Amino acid sequence: MAHDWNDVFLLDRPEREAVAEAPEARGGFLRRLRESLGRTREALSAEVQATVAQALDEESWERLEEALIMADVGAVTTADVVERLEREATDTGLSGEALGERLIELLTEQATVGDGHIDLRHRPTVIMVAGVNGTGKTTTIGKLAWHLVQEQQLKVVLGAGDTFRAAAVEQLAEWARRAGCEIVTGDDGSDPGAVAFEAVRRGREQDADVVIVDTAGRLHTQDDLMAELAKVRRVLDKQLEGAPHETLLTVDATTGQNGLRQARSFSEAAPVTGIVLTKLDGTAKGGIAIAIARELGIPVKLIGVGEQLEDLRPFDPGNFARALLEP
Amino acid sequence: MFDGLSDKLQATLAELRSHGTLTEDDIDRAMREIRLALLEADVNFKVVKAFTTTVKERCLGADVVGGLNPGQQVVKIVDEELAALMGGTAAGVAFAPRPPTVILLAGLQGSGKTTAAAKLALHLREEHGSSVALAACDVHRPAAVEQLVTMGERAGAEVYRREGETDAVAIATWALEETRRQGKDVLIVDTAGRLHVDADLMDELVRIRKATRPTQVLLVVDAMTGQDAVNVAQEFAAAVQFDGVVMTKLDGDARGGAALSVKAVTGKPILFASTGEKIDQFERFHPDRMAQRILGMGDVLSLIEKTQKEFDEDEARVLERRMRKGEFTLEDFLSQLKQMRRMGPLTSLLGMIPGFSGQQLRNLKVDERELDRVEAIILAMTPEERRRPELIKGSRRLRIARGSGTSVQQVNRLVKQFDEMRKVMKRIAGGKMPDMAALLRQGR
Ligand SMILES: Nc1nc2c(ncn2[C@@H]2O[C@H](COP(=O)(O)OP(=O)(O)OP(=O)(O)O)[C@@H](O)[C@H]2O)c(=O)[nH]1
Ligand SMILES: Nc1nc2c(ncn2[C@@H]2O[C@H](COP(=O)(O)OP(=O)(O)OP(=O)(O)O)[C@@H](O)[C@H]2O)c(=O)[nH]1
Ligand SMILES: [Mg+2]
Ligand SMILES: [Mg+2]
């Protein structure tokens, strides 16, 4: 599973010449990296261990359960995991710190499913981003494009497939400007499939490495809009067989148990290959990702940790599992 | 496993009802089910704990144990406590004694503030005849201002924006002056999304609040929010003392436990419900009805209100008479179908009818495209054909199919279904509005 960016992307091209980066972006990136590492280290420390290191009375089991439920892991999954741990504890006499580590291991296992890579070996690789309204699709695309352009020196084309929401195109256009990549747009209210089609056509024409298609936010309960999504997918395949190679679903870490339904319905409309868990910079833990991984076998591939260009990260199941138990 | 909260509670309580008498064990078992259901509905862990404790105490105190019809009593107690937790009657916007009224919207990223700002503007214009302006104070998100400008246009509200200004507080201050100068009744301030733990942005919000002295501060909360809703609400309450909540994305299938949580921990009422992306999908939130809806008792009052707003009463009366006499035509059917659809997606309407629980709704998929097709077919008929569908034969059928982009079979089916429907209507003595839902189900 991915721990850093080199593990996320599968590339088979010789390294391109490094593009000089804007100095302020670089500074910002390093500062943020330091900050986030600092936070993770803190998280690993005393507090996590404290919960489970205490005597294993009824109360501490309850406290574990509470921590997981409060992290949006869900009652059913929580009961399952805690029960397994309890059994192991009785069988093996595991206790204290070892038990804490075992719980984190269990959760890490649960979060580790499928293939966590993003395969960029197609030319161009087409990535479609879908999700419920306001979960962070457009922002994720901006951050991802920036990363691919600036850090991986790839050529990227964006497709403004959200022709519905007010100023959605302008929003993505601003991200394209920041990332330094081209964008293909259509008129407001025009057919999103046509924009997606054109974006891939343009990507091929320009010999781009990656084409990323934005889509309008939609609730998974809206059958007509889910059908529209399936159609965009078909249209992409028509322009380039096998496209989209990657369908990413953005899930807001703040989302509760509804997230599982979201993932299920979106998968039915357009097979989802990975989750982007956004807004993990808040206090929400995104525990629903565990339920999604367990029930649907869809891995989290990327996480969003802010609103700036550099606030996208590879997903690390171990760190994620630890964070779930943080107070 | 993941049935709706209402389904769950109903199942549990139905089980209780079927027993003659209840033991304390029975009640404990019911409480466990309720606890699980509430947790799956994303009600906060601590709120759930407090809730089940209260309900249990009341159940024991009320002599439910061993009493007559104990199941009913438990239902009543759960319902009452749920209603109490959700808050009493519906409140609206508080207006300033002297205009302008200033309403400040705040919330997490993507919760629906900008959309709600425009919707609220339209609501105040339509329901209160207010002149409303919107202040574009999101200087952080790309194209946030453009979004508000477009939405403001749709709402018929002027948008105060200041290009090049990067200080949200300065924009807010200026917008308020502008509101006074132009004699507007209401100023709605849209702000950037922010995390409750982002000290800088929370400080910006506090300063906007100080600068505009809002009559009301509203927290915009996504109905899909999980356990974190409590943290968010508490932090925003501490920073800007919000007065009420706008619940958004209630058109989905989220059970909306966040509504219960936020109300329980802050005591602030939920004032408005946002139920879609379109500008008019916004209504007063009815806490009492919401609690009933959670219990699966149906939201009859909302439905009636909605129906009244959309249906022309005279027209309805005329229709009713014609239905009784069997004079109902495809023309009438078309106009009724259109009215029905104006009220929103059919499934959201059906959800308000008692007896239609979440589970049933999921099975009954009203295919909106099917309705599009029905409309297209009727529109392709001549007025004479709409009045006398029996005319539709042979070449007429083909013409209608071509004109509506459907097939002869589809035209046939519609005509046949309509015929059936007319028969049913005649049978319903003193027939009121026909049960569209049932007819549609029959027709598929
Ligand atoms: N704090 C934080 N905010 C985020 C993150 N990702 C996105 N956002 C913010 O969330 C809000 C919504 O993001 P968008 O990218 O517009 O979401 P979307 O899914 O494209 O929204 P629609 O197209 O309207 O459905 C914006 O204010 C973003 O800045 C994140 O990882 N952390
Ligand atoms: N289905 C549905 N979508 C909604 C509702 N309210 C808002 N949205 C959509 O949710 C997304 C986010 O809404 P915005 O109004 O941009 O949210 P915001 O809080 O202003 O976002 P930021 O300014 O980025 O923090 C958009 O795609 C809206 O169209 C609702 O009640 N139902
Ligand atoms: Mg978007
Ligand atoms: Mg906004």
Side-chain angles (χ1 to χ4, degrees):
Chain A
M1 265 288 173
H3 292 265
D4 66 55
W5 283 112
N6 293 328
D7 298 332
V8 179
F9 300 120
L10 297 178
L11 292 154
D12 65 0
R13 288 183 290 279
E15 286 290 307
R16 297 187 172 203
E17 237 173 84
V19 179
E21 283 168 40
E24 67 275 272
R26 196 70 190 149
F29 174 65
L30 287 177
R31 180 178 52 76
R32 274 165 186 280
L33 194 63
R34 263 198 313 279
E35 278 172 11
S36 88
L37 286 179
R39 265 177 65 180
T40 316
R41 263 197 303 276
E42 251 168 64
L44 300 185
S45 66
E47 312 215 63
V48 182
Q49 308 301 340
T51 326
V52 275
Q54 295 157 1
L56 288 170
D57 49 15
E58 196 57 28
E59 207 181 306
S60 47
W61 286 113
E62 259 173 40
R63 216 170 316 139
L64 272 183
E65 240 174 54
E66 178 174 341
L68 291 179
I69 285 176
M70 294 287 253
D72 291 317
V73 171
V76 177
T77 309
T78 297
D80 225 48
V81 173
V82 171
E83 203 183 290
R84 249 177 87 179
L85 189 68
E86 208 169 344
R87 241 193 344 261
E88 282 189 23
T90 330
D91 291 352
T92 62
L94 219 56
S95 70
E97 226 168 275
L99 196 67
E101 280 306 320
R102 181 65 195 134
L103 177 58
I104 288 163
E105 238 175 71
L106 273 178
L107 291 168
T108 308
E109 258 170 49
Q110 305 270 344
T112 312
V113 291
D115 179 5
H117 294 109
I118 294 177
D119 189 349
L120 298 181
R121 291 174 300 184
H122 312 274
R123 195 161 186 96
T125 298
V126 178
I127 302 176
M128 178 166 100
V129 182
V132 161
N133 309 75
T135 45
K137 294 172 289 299
T138 307
T139 308
T140 297
I141 292 171
K143 294 190 269 193
L144 182 59
W146 179 84
H147 183 87
L148 294 176
V149 172
Q150 303 294 330
E151 300 278 310
Q152 309 284 342
Q153 286 83 47
L154 297 176
K155 182 165 186 162
V156 177
V157 172
L158 302 185
D162 182 355
T163 54
F164 178 75
R165 210 209 62 210
V169 175
E170 288 84 342
Q171 187 188 359
L172 189 68
E174 171 59 18
W175 282 109
R177 194 192 60 73
R178 292 178 184 179
C181 63
E182 199 185 323
I183 178 171
V184 171
T185 62
D187 289 338
D188 278 357
S190 66
D191 175 21
V195 179
F197 189 87
E198 177 58 20
V200 176
R201 199 196 60 73
R202 187 92 185 121
R204 298 179 82 170
E205 182 184 280
Q206 302 264 311
D207 196 24
D209 300 292
V210 183
V211 176
I212 315 178
V213 178
D214 193 10
T215 60
R218 67 199 74 217
L219 290 181
H220 52 291
T221 47
Q222 296 162 323
D223 292 340
D224 47 343
L225 294 183
M226 296 312 278
E228 180 193 271
L229 197 67
K231 191 185 148 206
V232 171
R233 205 188 132 79
R234 282 198 302 276
V235 167
L236 287 170
D237 182 62
K238 226 175 256 167
Q239 170 60 266
L240 178 66
E241 210 186 313
H245 308 96
E246 191 79 48
T247 302
L248 297 176
L249 178 74
T250 49
V251 174
D252 185 331
T254 321
T255 310
Q257 300 311 298
N258 196 247
L260 184 56
R261 286 162 181 259
Q262 294 172 18
R264 188 173 285 135
S265 304
F266 273 91
S267 292
E268 281 166 13
V272 173
T273 53
I275 303 286
V276 183
L277 196 54
T278 63
K279 311 187 195 174
L280 267 176
D281 44 330
T283 51
K285 300 290 171 50
I288 192 63
I290 298 257
I292 294 174
R294 266 169 57 108
E295 298 269 326
L296 305 171
I298 306 172
V300 178
K301 293 194 173 174
L302 300 167
I303 61 172
V305 292
E307 300 180 83
Q308 306 303 317
L309 281 166
E310 59 277 11
D311 291 334
L312 189 70
R313 301 252 189 290
F315 174 69
D316 179 328
N319 277 352
F320 175 71
R322 279 172 201 279
L324 286 178
L325 294 172
E326 270 175 57
Chain B
M1 178 166 52
F2 289 99
D3 290 346
L5 174 58
S6 58
D7 302 356
K8 269 258 154 113
L9 289 186
Q10 267 178 335
T12 312
L13 297 170
E15 200 181 304
L16 283 186
R17 258 186 233 129
S18 67
H19 290 303
T21 57
L22 294 184
T23 63
E24 188 174 342
D25 262 5
D26 289 333
I27 291 180
D28 278 338
R29 200 151 33 81
M31 290 312 127
R32 265 201 301 279
E33 280 298 326
I34 289 174
R35 175 170 176 266
L36 193 65
L38 290 172
L39 283 177
E40 273 177 19
D42 292 320
V43 181
N44 183 268
F45 186 81
K46 292 180 176 138
V47 176
V48 172
K49 252 185 166 168
F51 179 79
T52 46
T53 308
T54 315
V55 170
K56 189 186 165 184
E57 269 167 19
R58 273 198 62 192
C59 284
L60 293 175
D63 260 345
V64 169
V65 181
L68 281 175
N69 209 347
Q72 292 283 355
Q73 287 182 53
V74 176
V75 177
K76 193 159 164 278
I77 291 171
V78 172
D79 181 35
E80 280 171 11
E81 286 301 321
L82 218 47
L85 206 57
M86 282 304 316
T89 46
V93 164
F95 288 92
R98 275 187 48 213
T101 294
V102 179
I103 301 172
L104 175 62
L105 296 182
L108 294 183
Q109 285 93 347
S111 55
K113 296 171 292 300
T114 305
T115 309
K119 287 175 168 189
L120 187 56
L122 182 69
H123 173 87
L124 293 177
R125 283 190 51 220
E126 284 193 339
E127 305 285 315
H128 300 273
S130 314
S131 59
V132 186
L134 295 160
C137 295
D138 181 353
V139 294
H140 302 283
R141 167 172 164 177
V145 176
E146 287 78 358
Q147 186 190 359
L148 187 68
V149 167
T150 307
M151 297 296 287
E153 228 163 70
R154 289 180 198 161
E158 189 165 347
V159 177
Y160 295 150
R161 61 183 297 191
R162 251 175 121 171
E163 241 153 314
E165 177 60 75
T166 54
D167 180 4
V169 184
I171 300 173
T173 311
W174 165 79
L176 181 55
E177 282 164 16
E178 207 61 19
T179 308
R180 292 216 175 89
R181 196 168 316 132
Q182 298 194 12
K184 302 269 186 200
D185 302 321
V186 182
L187 176 69
I188 301 173
V189 183
D190 181 30
T191 61
R194 66 201 73 224
L195 290 169
H196 51 295
V197 287
D198 188 327
D200 293 344
L201 283 181
M202 288 307 275
D203 179 58
E204 179 197 84
L205 192 61
V206 170
R207 287 184 294 124
I208 293 176
R209 184 180 202 276
K210 281 210 180 106
T212 54
R213 313 231 267 112
T215 324
Q216 241 178 353
V217 180
L218 300 181
L219 182 70
V220 180
V221 180
D222 185 327
M224 290 175 270
T225 313
Q227 297 287 321
D228 206 38
V230 160
N231 293 329
V232 175
Q234 279 171 333
E235 294 298 325
F236 272 92
V240 290
Q241 298 87 43
F242 65 86
D243 304 284
V245 172
V246 180
M247 257 329 216
T248 64
K249 307 180 198 172
L250 272 167
D251 45 327
D253 61 355
R255 276 148 274 154
L260 275 174
S261 307
V262 171
K263 176 67 176 42
V265 298
T266 65
K268 300 301 179 197
I270 296 163
L271 300 180
F272 294 101
S274 171
T275 55
E277 294 192 74
K278 304 220 178 76
I279 191 114
D280 59 347
Q281 291 171 323
F282 191 72
E283 53 204 54
R284 291 263 285 264
F285 185 86
H286 295 285
D288 40 347
R289 297 177 193 175
M290 176 84 175
Q292 284 192 357
R293 189 167 166 173
I294 288 173
L295 275 178
M297 293 179 184
D299 194 358
V300 190
L301 290 174
S302 281
L303 181 62
I304 292 172
E305 210 168 71
K306 221 171 184 174
T307 314
Q308 277 174 347
K309 202 166 148 191
E310 296 290 341
F311 275 92
D312 183 310
E313 277 198 32
D314 289 339
E315 205 178 312
R317 219 168 295 130
V318 172
L319 261 181
E320 212 180 291
R321 206 168 40 235
R322 311 220 340 219
M323 270 180 226
R324 259 203 307 268
K325 290 192 182 158
E327 287 170 3
F328 191 71
T329 67
L330 273 166
E331 191 93 57
D332 299 325
F333 180 63
L334 181 67
S335 95
Q336 227 201 337
L337 188 62
K338 281 190 168 156
Q339 280 182 332
M340 200 68 190
R341 300 186 77 184
R342 239 191 282 146
M343 296 194 293
L346 274 176
T347 33
S348 82
L349 282 172
L350 297 181
M352 297 179 188
I353 301 171
F356 268 111
S357 70
Q359 191 58 50
Q360 284 167 312
L361 267 183
R362 247 162 280 131
N363 297 338
L364 173 99
K365 287 222 159 133
V366 177
D367 187 346
E368 301 277 339
R369 270 165 313 173
E370 177 72 30
L371 299 183
D372 287 339
R373 215 165 309 149
V374 168
E375 274 193 29
I377 292 175
I378 301 179
L379 283 171
M381 295 174 186
T382 63
E384 183 61 16
E385 285 164 349
R386 287 180 209 163
R387 273 190 298 275
R388 297 173 52 206
E390 55 274 15
L391 291 177
I392 302 170
K393 299 228 165 64
S395 65
R396 285 183 191 248
R397 268 199 308 238
L398 193 63
R399 195 203 73 242
I400 294 168
R402 288 224 178 104
S404 58
T406 60
S407 66
V408 171
Q409 285 87 336
Q410 282 167 326
V411 175
N412 268 346
R413 200 166 58 214
L414 175 71
V415 172
K416 221 169 116 219
Q417 280 164 5
F418 179 73
D419 201 41
E420 287 297 309
M421 190 159 120
R422 203 148 50 163
K423 280 187 206 143
V424 173
M425 280 176 191
K426 245 194 269 185
R427 273 206 308 271
I428 311 172
K432 292 261 180 279
M433 300 303 282
D435 182 353
M436 290 289 283
L439 289 170
L440 283 166
R441 245 173 308 148
Q442 253 182 14
R444 297 180 57 220

